[in-house]
Amino acid sequence: MAEKDSEGIIATDPSNNDDRKCLIIRKLLKFNPKEVFTWQLVKTVAMGQGLAALICGTAVTSQYLASDYHVDTPMLQSFMSYTLLCLTYTTALLFRTGDENMFPILKKRWWKYLLLGLVDVEANYTVVKAYQYTTLTSIQLLDCFVIPVLMILSCWFLKTCYRPVHYVSVCVCLLGVGAMVGADLLAGRDLGSTSDILLGDGLVLLSASLYAVSNVCQEYTVKHLSRVEFLGMVGLFGTLISGIQLGVLEHNNVANIQWDWRIGLLFAGYALCMYTLYSCMPIVVKKTSATAVNLSLLTADLLSLFCGLFLFQYTFSGLYMVSLVIILVGFIAFNTVATTPDPADPIAPSGGWEEGGYDNPDDIIEEVVVAVLEEEEGEHTGVSWNQRTQNKEVPAEGRSTKM
Protein backbone atom coordinates (compact mmCIF):
# COMPACT_ATOMS: atom_id res chain seq x y z
CA MET A 1 0.00 0.00 0.00
CA ALA A 2 1.08 3.59 -0.50
CA GLU A 3 2.43 5.37 2.57
CA LYS A 4 3.83 8.82 3.25
CA ASP A 5 7.49 9.10 4.17
CA SER A 6 9.05 11.58 6.60
CA GLU A 7 8.90 14.37 3.98
CA GLY A 8 5.22 13.82 3.24
CA ILE A 9 5.83 12.31 -0.21
CA ILE A 10 3.74 9.32 -1.08
CA ALA A 11 5.91 6.21 -1.34
CA THR A 12 4.56 3.50 -3.60
CA ASP A 13 5.34 -0.19 -3.53
CA PRO A 14 6.01 -1.23 -7.17
CA SER A 15 5.15 -4.85 -6.40
CA ASN A 16 1.62 -3.93 -5.22
CA ASN A 17 -1.04 -4.29 -7.91
CA ASP A 18 -3.21 -1.51 -6.46
CA ASP A 19 -0.31 0.90 -6.50
CA ARG A 20 0.48 -0.03 -10.07
CA LYS A 21 -3.09 0.75 -11.07
CA CYS A 22 -2.88 4.11 -9.31
CA LEU A 23 0.31 4.92 -11.18
CA ILE A 24 -1.25 4.02 -14.50
CA ILE A 25 -4.24 6.26 -13.79
CA ARG A 26 -1.97 9.12 -12.76
CA LYS A 27 0.08 8.75 -15.95
CA LEU A 28 -3.08 8.72 -18.05
CA LEU A 29 -4.18 11.97 -16.44
CA LYS A 30 -0.79 13.47 -17.31
CA PHE A 31 -0.99 12.21 -20.92
CA ASN A 32 0.74 14.58 -23.33
CA PRO A 33 -0.09 13.99 -27.03
CA LYS A 34 3.22 15.55 -28.07
CA GLU A 35 5.09 12.67 -26.41
CA VAL A 36 3.14 10.13 -28.49
CA PHE A 37 2.55 11.84 -31.84
CA THR A 38 6.19 12.55 -32.55
CA TRP A 39 8.00 13.41 -35.75
CA GLN A 40 9.34 9.85 -35.78
CA LEU A 41 5.77 8.52 -35.82
CA VAL A 42 4.88 10.84 -38.70
CA LYS A 43 7.87 9.56 -40.68
CA THR A 44 6.91 5.96 -39.91
CA VAL A 45 3.35 6.48 -41.17
CA ALA A 46 4.60 8.31 -44.26
CA MET A 47 7.12 5.58 -45.11
CA GLY A 48 4.50 2.87 -44.59
CA GLN A 49 2.08 4.60 -46.94
CA GLY A 50 4.88 5.08 -49.45
CA LEU A 51 5.32 1.30 -49.54
CA ALA A 52 1.56 0.88 -49.92
CA ALA A 53 1.64 3.29 -52.88
CA LEU A 54 4.32 1.16 -54.55
CA ILE A 55 2.18 -1.96 -54.15
CA CYS A 56 -0.68 0.04 -55.62
CA GLY A 57 1.55 0.75 -58.62
CA THR A 58 2.21 -2.94 -59.16
CA ALA A 59 -1.53 -3.68 -58.88
CA VAL A 60 -2.51 -1.01 -61.42
CA THR A 61 0.09 -2.07 -64.00
CA SER A 62 -0.86 -5.73 -63.58
CA GLN A 63 -4.54 -4.84 -63.99
CA TYR A 64 -3.82 -2.99 -67.23
CA LEU A 65 -1.76 -5.92 -68.56
CA ALA A 66 -4.50 -8.42 -67.71
CA SER A 67 -7.60 -6.43 -68.74
CA ASP A 68 -6.44 -4.40 -71.74
CA TYR A 69 -3.76 -6.64 -73.25
CA HIS A 70 -4.71 -10.10 -71.88
CA VAL A 71 -1.18 -10.71 -70.59
CA ASP A 72 -1.01 -13.28 -67.78
CA THR A 73 2.68 -13.71 -66.92
CA PRO A 74 3.19 -13.12 -63.17
CA MET A 75 6.45 -15.08 -63.12
CA LEU A 76 7.91 -12.97 -65.94
CA GLN A 77 7.05 -9.84 -63.96
CA SER A 78 8.72 -11.27 -60.84
CA PHE A 79 11.75 -12.37 -62.87
CA MET A 80 12.27 -8.81 -64.10
CA SER A 81 12.18 -7.33 -60.58
CA TYR A 82 14.53 -10.00 -59.18
CA THR A 83 16.91 -9.37 -62.09
CA LEU A 84 17.06 -5.67 -61.22
CA LEU A 85 17.88 -6.57 -57.62
CA CYS A 86 20.57 -8.96 -58.81
CA LEU A 87 22.15 -6.40 -61.15
CA THR A 88 22.43 -3.77 -58.42
CA TYR A 89 22.75 -5.36 -54.97
CA THR A 90 24.41 -8.66 -55.91
CA THR A 91 26.91 -6.70 -57.99
CA ALA A 92 27.50 -4.43 -54.99
CA LEU A 93 28.34 -7.49 -52.89
CA LEU A 94 30.94 -8.55 -55.48
CA PHE A 95 32.87 -5.33 -54.91
CA ARG A 96 32.84 -5.56 -51.11
CA THR A 97 35.88 -6.83 -49.25
CA GLY A 98 36.36 -9.32 -46.44
CA ASP A 99 33.45 -11.23 -44.97
CA GLU A 100 30.97 -8.84 -46.62
CA ASN A 101 31.96 -10.04 -50.07
CA MET A 102 29.46 -12.28 -51.91
CA PHE A 103 31.65 -15.41 -51.93
CA PRO A 104 32.28 -15.63 -48.15
CA ILE A 105 28.54 -15.02 -47.63
CA LEU A 106 27.66 -17.83 -50.04
CA LYS A 107 30.20 -20.12 -48.42
CA LYS A 108 28.65 -19.59 -44.98
CA ARG A 109 24.95 -19.19 -45.68
CA TRP A 110 24.18 -20.16 -49.28
CA TRP A 111 21.57 -22.80 -48.38
CA LYS A 112 19.72 -20.39 -46.08
CA TYR A 113 19.42 -17.76 -48.80
CA LEU A 114 18.42 -20.44 -51.31
CA LEU A 115 15.49 -21.37 -49.08
CA LEU A 116 14.68 -17.70 -48.51
CA GLY A 117 14.68 -17.03 -52.25
CA LEU A 118 12.41 -20.02 -52.83
CA VAL A 119 10.02 -18.86 -50.11
CA ASP A 120 9.89 -15.32 -51.51
CA VAL A 121 9.31 -16.41 -55.12
CA GLU A 122 6.57 -18.88 -54.23
CA ALA A 123 4.85 -16.38 -51.92
CA ASN A 124 4.43 -14.04 -54.89
CA TYR A 125 3.37 -16.83 -57.25
CA THR A 126 0.81 -18.62 -55.07
CA VAL A 127 -1.23 -15.49 -54.31
CA VAL A 128 -1.48 -14.71 -58.03
CA LYS A 129 -2.55 -18.30 -58.78
CA ALA A 130 -5.24 -18.03 -56.08
CA TYR A 131 -7.18 -15.55 -58.25
CA GLN A 132 -7.90 -18.42 -60.68
CA TYR A 133 -9.75 -20.42 -58.03
CA THR A 134 -11.32 -18.10 -55.46
CA THR A 135 -12.82 -14.62 -55.09
CA LEU A 136 -11.26 -11.25 -54.37
CA THR A 137 -13.15 -11.11 -51.06
CA SER A 138 -11.59 -14.35 -49.87
CA ILE A 139 -8.13 -13.21 -50.90
CA GLN A 140 -8.44 -9.85 -49.12
CA LEU A 141 -9.65 -11.49 -45.92
CA LEU A 142 -7.35 -14.51 -45.82
CA ASP A 143 -4.29 -12.51 -46.86
CA CYS A 144 -4.48 -10.82 -43.43
CA PHE A 145 -3.39 -14.20 -42.04
CA VAL A 146 0.16 -12.95 -42.60
CA ILE A 147 -0.10 -10.65 -39.54
CA PRO A 148 -0.84 -13.23 -36.79
CA VAL A 149 1.73 -15.59 -38.34
CA LEU A 150 4.27 -12.75 -38.34
CA MET A 151 3.60 -11.97 -34.70
CA ILE A 152 4.00 -15.62 -33.70
CA LEU A 153 7.25 -16.00 -35.65
CA SER A 154 8.57 -12.69 -34.27
CA CYS A 155 7.88 -13.83 -30.70
CA TRP A 156 9.46 -17.21 -31.38
CA PHE A 157 12.57 -16.33 -33.39
CA LEU A 158 13.17 -12.61 -32.75
CA LYS A 159 12.08 -12.73 -29.08
CA THR A 160 9.74 -9.79 -29.63
CA CYS A 161 7.33 -9.17 -26.77
CA TYR A 162 4.11 -7.44 -27.79
CA ARG A 163 2.01 -5.41 -25.37
CA PRO A 164 -1.80 -5.36 -25.15
CA VAL A 165 -1.97 -2.16 -27.21
CA HIS A 166 -0.32 -3.97 -30.12
CA TYR A 167 -2.91 -6.75 -30.15
CA VAL A 168 -5.73 -4.21 -29.93
CA SER A 169 -4.18 -2.21 -32.79
CA VAL A 170 -3.98 -5.31 -34.99
CA CYS A 171 -7.66 -6.04 -34.30
CA VAL A 172 -8.54 -2.45 -35.25
CA CYS A 173 -6.64 -2.80 -38.54
CA LEU A 174 -8.40 -6.08 -39.32
CA LEU A 175 -11.71 -4.37 -38.58
CA GLY A 176 -10.78 -1.82 -41.24
CA VAL A 177 -10.12 -4.65 -43.71
CA GLY A 178 -13.57 -6.03 -42.89
CA ALA A 179 -15.09 -2.63 -43.74
CA MET A 180 -13.19 -2.63 -47.05
CA VAL A 181 -14.47 -6.10 -47.95
CA GLY A 182 -18.00 -5.03 -47.04
CA ALA A 183 -17.67 -2.04 -49.36
CA ASP A 184 -16.51 -4.36 -52.16
CA LEU A 185 -19.55 -6.57 -51.70
CA LEU A 186 -21.93 -3.61 -51.69
CA ALA A 187 -20.27 -2.24 -54.84
CA GLY A 188 -20.47 -5.62 -56.59
CA ARG A 189 -16.70 -6.05 -56.81
CA ASP A 190 -16.53 -9.67 -55.65
CA LEU A 191 -14.22 -10.46 -58.56
CA GLY A 192 -12.29 -13.62 -59.25
CA SER A 193 -13.26 -17.22 -59.81
CA THR A 194 -15.20 -19.83 -57.86
CA SER A 195 -13.92 -22.88 -59.74
CA ASP A 196 -12.23 -24.35 -56.66
CA ILE A 197 -12.69 -22.12 -53.64
CA LEU A 198 -11.06 -24.55 -51.20
CA LEU A 199 -7.87 -24.75 -53.31
CA GLY A 200 -7.84 -20.98 -53.83
CA ASP A 201 -8.25 -20.23 -50.14
CA GLY A 202 -5.52 -22.72 -49.33
CA LEU A 203 -3.17 -20.98 -51.76
CA VAL A 204 -3.87 -17.63 -50.10
CA LEU A 205 -3.12 -19.03 -46.64
CA LEU A 206 0.06 -20.65 -47.98
CA SER A 207 1.12 -17.37 -49.57
CA ALA A 208 0.45 -15.45 -46.33
CA SER A 209 2.53 -17.94 -44.35
CA LEU A 210 5.39 -17.75 -46.85
CA TYR A 211 5.29 -13.95 -46.78
CA ALA A 212 5.47 -14.05 -42.98
CA VAL A 213 8.54 -16.32 -43.08
CA SER A 214 10.19 -14.07 -45.68
CA ASN A 215 9.45 -10.91 -43.69
CA VAL A 216 10.79 -12.33 -40.43
CA CYS A 217 13.98 -13.41 -42.21
CA GLN A 218 14.20 -9.94 -43.71
CA GLU A 219 13.83 -8.26 -40.31
CA TYR A 220 16.51 -10.45 -38.76
CA THR A 221 18.93 -9.97 -41.67
CA VAL A 222 18.65 -6.18 -41.99
CA LYS A 223 18.99 -5.68 -38.22
CA HIS A 224 21.64 -8.30 -37.52
CA LEU A 225 23.57 -8.42 -40.82
CA SER A 226 22.93 -5.87 -43.59
CA ARG A 227 20.30 -4.64 -46.02
CA VAL A 228 22.59 -5.02 -49.04
CA GLU A 229 23.33 -8.65 -48.15
CA PHE A 230 19.63 -9.46 -47.88
CA LEU A 231 18.71 -7.79 -51.17
CA GLY A 232 21.76 -9.16 -52.98
CA MET A 233 21.08 -12.75 -51.97
CA VAL A 234 17.33 -12.52 -52.60
CA GLY A 235 18.08 -10.97 -56.00
CA LEU A 236 20.56 -13.73 -56.88
CA PHE A 237 18.49 -16.75 -55.84
CA GLY A 238 15.18 -15.11 -56.76
CA THR A 239 16.45 -14.59 -60.31
CA LEU A 240 17.61 -18.21 -60.61
CA ILE A 241 14.42 -19.73 -59.17
CA SER A 242 11.97 -17.46 -60.98
CA GLY A 243 13.91 -17.91 -64.22
CA ILE A 244 13.62 -21.69 -64.01
CA GLN A 245 9.95 -21.49 -63.08
CA LEU A 246 9.32 -19.00 -65.88
CA GLY A 247 10.82 -21.36 -68.46
CA VAL A 248 8.79 -24.32 -67.20
CA LEU A 249 5.39 -22.71 -66.59
CA GLU A 250 5.04 -19.58 -68.70
CA HIS A 251 7.09 -20.06 -71.87
CA ASN A 252 3.93 -20.36 -74.00
CA ASN A 253 2.32 -17.27 -72.45
CA VAL A 254 5.46 -15.21 -73.02
CA ALA A 255 5.69 -16.37 -76.65
CA ASN A 256 2.10 -15.28 -77.29
CA ILE A 257 2.58 -11.67 -76.07
CA GLN A 258 1.99 -9.12 -78.84
CA TRP A 259 4.76 -6.74 -77.84
CA ASP A 260 4.46 -2.98 -78.35
CA TRP A 261 5.72 0.07 -76.50
CA ARG A 262 2.68 0.25 -74.21
CA ILE A 263 3.10 -3.32 -72.98
CA GLY A 264 6.82 -2.73 -72.54
CA LEU A 265 6.10 0.42 -70.53
CA LEU A 266 3.67 -1.45 -68.25
CA PHE A 267 6.23 -4.21 -67.64
CA ALA A 268 8.89 -1.60 -66.89
CA GLY A 269 6.54 0.26 -64.53
CA TYR A 270 5.74 -2.93 -62.63
CA ALA A 271 9.41 -3.94 -62.37
CA LEU A 272 10.47 -0.47 -61.14
CA CYS A 273 7.68 -0.34 -58.53
CA MET A 274 8.59 -3.80 -57.24
CA TYR A 275 12.31 -3.01 -57.29
CA THR A 276 11.74 0.19 -55.30
CA LEU A 277 9.48 -1.68 -52.88
CA TYR A 278 12.13 -4.33 -52.24
CA SER A 279 14.82 -1.65 -51.87
CA CYS A 280 12.89 0.55 -49.44
CA MET A 281 11.05 -2.05 -47.38
CA PRO A 282 14.18 -3.16 -45.41
CA ILE A 283 14.75 0.47 -44.41
CA VAL A 284 11.26 0.74 -42.93
CA VAL A 285 11.51 -2.72 -41.34
CA LYS A 286 14.76 -1.73 -39.64
CA LYS A 287 13.18 1.39 -38.16
CA THR A 288 9.96 -0.37 -37.10
CA SER A 289 9.23 -4.08 -37.54
CA ALA A 290 7.93 -6.50 -40.15
CA THR A 291 4.56 -6.58 -38.39
CA ALA A 292 4.22 -2.78 -38.47
CA VAL A 293 5.13 -2.72 -42.16
CA ASN A 294 2.48 -5.32 -43.03
CA LEU A 295 -0.12 -3.34 -41.10
CA SER A 296 0.69 -0.28 -43.19
CA LEU A 297 0.40 -2.35 -46.38
CA LEU A 298 -3.24 -3.10 -45.58
CA THR A 299 -4.07 0.26 -47.14
CA ALA A 300 -2.56 -0.80 -50.49
CA ASP A 301 -5.84 -2.38 -51.62
CA LEU A 302 -7.66 0.84 -50.76
CA LEU A 303 -5.19 2.95 -52.72
CA SER A 304 -5.67 0.61 -55.67
CA LEU A 305 -9.43 1.03 -55.35
CA PHE A 306 -9.12 4.82 -55.33
CA CYS A 307 -7.01 4.61 -58.51
CA GLY A 308 -9.62 2.26 -59.99
CA LEU A 309 -12.32 4.89 -59.49
CA PHE A 310 -10.64 6.97 -62.20
CA LEU A 311 -8.88 4.33 -64.29
CA PHE A 312 -11.30 1.39 -64.30
CA GLN A 313 -14.61 3.10 -63.38
CA TYR A 314 -15.04 1.32 -60.05
CA THR A 315 -18.07 2.23 -57.92
CA PHE A 316 -17.28 4.44 -54.94
CA SER A 317 -18.53 3.63 -51.43
CA GLY A 318 -18.19 5.73 -48.29
CA LEU A 319 -17.07 2.58 -46.47
CA TYR A 320 -13.75 2.83 -48.34
CA MET A 321 -12.94 6.08 -46.52
CA VAL A 322 -14.11 4.60 -43.22
CA SER A 323 -11.88 1.57 -43.83
CA LEU A 324 -8.86 3.77 -44.63
CA VAL A 325 -9.29 5.81 -41.44
CA ILE A 326 -9.73 2.69 -39.28
CA ILE A 327 -6.62 1.01 -40.68
CA LEU A 328 -4.52 4.17 -40.25
CA VAL A 329 -5.74 4.60 -36.65
CA GLY A 330 -4.77 1.00 -35.86
CA PHE A 331 -1.37 1.44 -37.54
CA ILE A 332 -0.64 4.65 -35.64
CA ALA A 333 -1.71 3.07 -32.34
CA PHE A 334 0.59 0.09 -33.02
CA ASN A 335 3.60 2.38 -33.51
CA THR A 336 2.98 4.67 -30.54
CA VAL A 337 4.27 2.02 -28.13
CA ALA A 338 7.53 0.20 -28.77
CA THR A 339 7.73 -3.56 -28.61
CA THR A 340 10.25 -5.27 -26.34
CA PRO A 341 13.00 -5.52 -27.44
CA ASP A 342 12.80 -2.23 -29.30
CA PRO A 343 12.54 -3.04 -33.03
CA ALA A 344 14.90 -0.19 -33.86
CA ASP A 345 17.72 -1.89 -31.95
CA PRO A 346 19.98 -4.59 -33.38
CA ILE A 347 18.70 -8.06 -32.56
CA ALA A 348 20.90 -10.50 -30.72
CA PRO A 349 20.52 -14.15 -31.77
CA SER A 350 19.25 -15.12 -28.34
CA GLY A 351 17.67 -11.85 -27.18
CA GLY A 352 14.83 -11.63 -24.71
CA TRP A 353 14.13 -10.66 -21.11
CA GLU A 354 17.35 -12.24 -19.84
CA GLU A 355 19.41 -10.87 -22.75
CA GLY A 356 18.11 -7.40 -21.92
CA GLY A 357 19.39 -7.69 -18.36
CA TYR A 358 16.09 -8.75 -16.74
CA ASP A 359 15.22 -11.98 -15.01
CA ASN A 360 11.52 -11.75 -15.89
CA PRO A 361 8.94 -9.28 -17.29
CA ASP A 362 8.02 -8.07 -13.79
CA ASP A 363 11.48 -6.55 -13.43
CA ILE A 364 10.76 -4.23 -16.34
CA ILE A 365 7.41 -3.22 -14.82
CA GLU A 366 9.12 -2.47 -11.51
CA GLU A 367 11.80 -0.39 -13.22
CA VAL A 368 9.16 1.63 -15.08
CA VAL A 369 7.22 2.24 -11.85
CA VAL A 370 10.35 3.35 -9.97
CA ALA A 371 11.31 5.67 -12.82
CA VAL A 372 7.85 7.23 -12.83
CA LEU A 373 8.05 7.88 -9.09
CA GLU A 374 11.49 9.43 -9.42
CA GLU A 375 10.22 11.64 -12.21
CA GLU A 376 7.31 12.80 -10.07
CA GLU A 377 9.63 13.53 -7.13
CA GLY A 378 11.73 15.82 -9.32
CA GLU A 379 14.87 13.73 -9.67
CA HIS A 380 14.56 13.80 -13.48
CA THR A 381 12.89 17.16 -14.00
CA GLY A 382 12.28 17.88 -17.68
CA VAL A 383 13.53 14.47 -18.82
CA SER A 384 10.96 11.92 -20.02
CA TRP A 385 11.10 8.17 -19.53
CA ASN A 386 11.67 7.66 -23.28
CA GLN A 387 14.60 10.07 -23.27
CA ARG A 388 16.24 8.28 -20.34
CA THR A 389 15.82 4.78 -21.75
CA GLN A 390 17.10 5.81 -25.17
CA ASN A 391 20.35 7.02 -23.64
CA LYS A 392 20.73 4.17 -21.19
CA GLU A 393 23.72 1.85 -21.45
CA VAL A 394 23.48 -1.71 -20.13
CA PRO A 395 26.24 -4.10 -19.11
CA ALA A 396 28.22 -5.96 -21.77
CA GLU A 397 26.15 -9.11 -21.34
CA GLY A 398 22.93 -7.16 -21.95
CA ARG A 399 21.54 -5.43 -25.04
CA SER A 400 21.88 -1.66 -25.42
CA THR A 401 18.71 0.35 -25.72
CA LYS A 402 20.52 3.31 -27.22
CA MET A 403 19.29 4.18 -30.73
Side-chain angles (χ1 to χ4, degrees):
M1 296 294 294
E3 298 178 357
K4 289 186 177 181
D5 60 14
S6 57
E7 298 179 0
I9 298 176
I10 296 178
T12 308
D13 181 6
S15 63
N16 188 284
N17 289 331
D18 292 336
D19 288 347
R20 288 182 185 176
K21 293 177 182 178
C22 291
L23 285 171
I24 293 173
I25 293 173
R26 288 158 66 185
K27 291 302 291 182
L28 287 174
L29 293 175
K30 292 185 177 182
F31 173 73
N32 184 1
K34 292 183 179 180
E35 294 181 358
V36 175
F37 300 102
T38 61
W39 177 240
Q40 179 63 34
L41 178 61
V42 173
K43 290 192 293 183
T44 299
V45 174
M47 289 187 295
Q49 294 314 294
L51 297 180
L54 290 171
I55 290 185
C56 173
T58 65
V60 170
T61 52
S62 297
Q63 180 70 20
Y64 266 120
L65 285 170
S67 62
D68 290 12
Y69 300 99
H70 307 290
V71 175
D72 183 23
T73 55
M75 194 51 64
L76 174 60
Q77 293 168 241
S78 295
F79 176 76
M80 294 174 66
S81 57
Y82 285 123
T83 301
L84 289 176
L85 292 174
C86 185
L87 290 175
T88 52
Y89 294 103
T90 308
T91 303
L93 289 177
L94 279 172
F95 289 96
R96 288 191 167 189
T97 59
D99 291 339
E100 295 184 347
N101 184 267
M102 185 181 77
F103 296 107
I105 293 173
L106 288 174
K107 185 177 180 180
K108 294 178 182 178
R109 297 182 284 274
W110 69 269
W111 64 273
K112 296 180 181 178
Y113 285 118
L114 174 62
L115 292 176
L116 177 58
L118 180 64
V119 165
D120 199 71
V121 170
E122 299 310 322
N124 290 319
Y125 182 72
T126 51
V127 72
V128 174
K129 291 296 291 182
Y131 282 92
Q132 298 179 14
Y133 303 104
T134 190
T135 63
L136 176 64
T137 300
S138 295
I139 292 173
Q140 288 175 327
L141 285 174
L142 296 177
D143 198 39
C144 298
F145 185 65
V146 66
I147 294 173
V149 175
L150 252 178
M151 297 181 76
I152 292 172
L153 293 177
S154 296
C155 290
W156 192 3
F157 292 105
L158 305 182
K159 309 302 180 185
T160 302
C161 297
Y162 295 101
R163 301 180 185 180
V165 66
H166 297 122
Y167 296 106
V168 173
S169 301
V170 169
C171 292
V172 170
C173 288
L174 297 181
L175 180 64
V177 174
M180 176 182 63
V181 172
D184 284 342
L185 294 175
L186 292 175
R189 288 196 64 250
D190 195 16
L191 306 177
S193 172
T194 57
S195 59
D196 194 336
I197 293 179
L198 186 61
L199 174 60
D201 291 350
L203 288 174
V204 178
L205 293 176
L206 175 61
S207 173
S209 301
L210 293 175
Y211 273 127
V213 173
S214 176
N215 289 166
V216 167
C217 293
Q218 178 179 180
E219 181 173 351
Y220 178 86
T221 305
V222 299
K223 291 181 178 180
H224 194 63
L225 298 172
S226 80
R227 166 178 168 268
V228 175
E229 178 177 331
F230 171 79
L231 294 173
M233 293 294 101
V234 168
L236 175 63
F237 289 106
T239 301
L240 293 175
I241 295 169
S242 62
I244 294 171
Q245 200 161 331
L246 170 64
V248 173
L249 300 177
E250 293 184 359
H251 58 279
N252 290 329
N253 293 344
V254 174
N256 292 330
I257 296 176
Q258 302 295 320
W259 291 96
D260 64 24
W261 68 270
R262 288 179 291 268
I263 292 179
L265 188 62
L266 289 172
F267 270 107
Y270 176 92
L272 287 175
C273 284
M274 189 62 76
Y275 172 79
T276 308
L277 174 67
Y278 270 91
S279 299
C280 296
M281 189 170 176
I283 299 174
V284 186
V285 167
K286 189 171 183 179
K287 290 182 176 295
T288 57
S289 68
T291 304
V293 169
N294 276 271
L295 288 175
S296 69
L297 296 183
L298 292 177
T299 60
D301 287 334
L302 286 167
L303 296 178
S304 300
L305 289 171
F306 294 147
C307 291
L309 294 174
F310 303 98
L311 301 177
F312 307 114
Q313 288 72 52
Y314 289 164
T315 303
F316 178 76
S317 171
L319 277 177
Y320 290 139
M321 296 303 300
V322 174
S323 174
L324 178 62
V325 172
I326 292 174
I327 292 174
L328 288 177
V329 167
F331 176 66
I332 291 172
F334 186 93
N335 286 280
T336 54
V337 179
T339 55
T340 306
D342 190 330
D345 289 338
I347 297 175
S350 59
W353 302 110
E354 296 179 358
E355 189 73 14
Y358 303 99
D359 294 328
N360 56 68
D362 287 339
D363 291 344
I364 291 183
I365 296 175
E366 183 172 345
E367 182 174 333
V368 172
V369 171
V370 171
V372 170
L373 288 174
E374 291 175 347
E375 185 176 282
E376 292 177 352
E377 292 172 9
E379 295 185 16
H380 295 280
T381 304
V383 182
S384 69
W385 163 252
N386 287 334
Q387 290 172 320
R388 293 202 304 279
T389 54
Q390 286 176 355
N391 294 316
K392 179 182 176 181
E393 301 287 349
V394 298
E397 67 273 8
R399 189 180 61 81
S400 174
T401 59
K402 191 173 183 178
M403 296 289 288

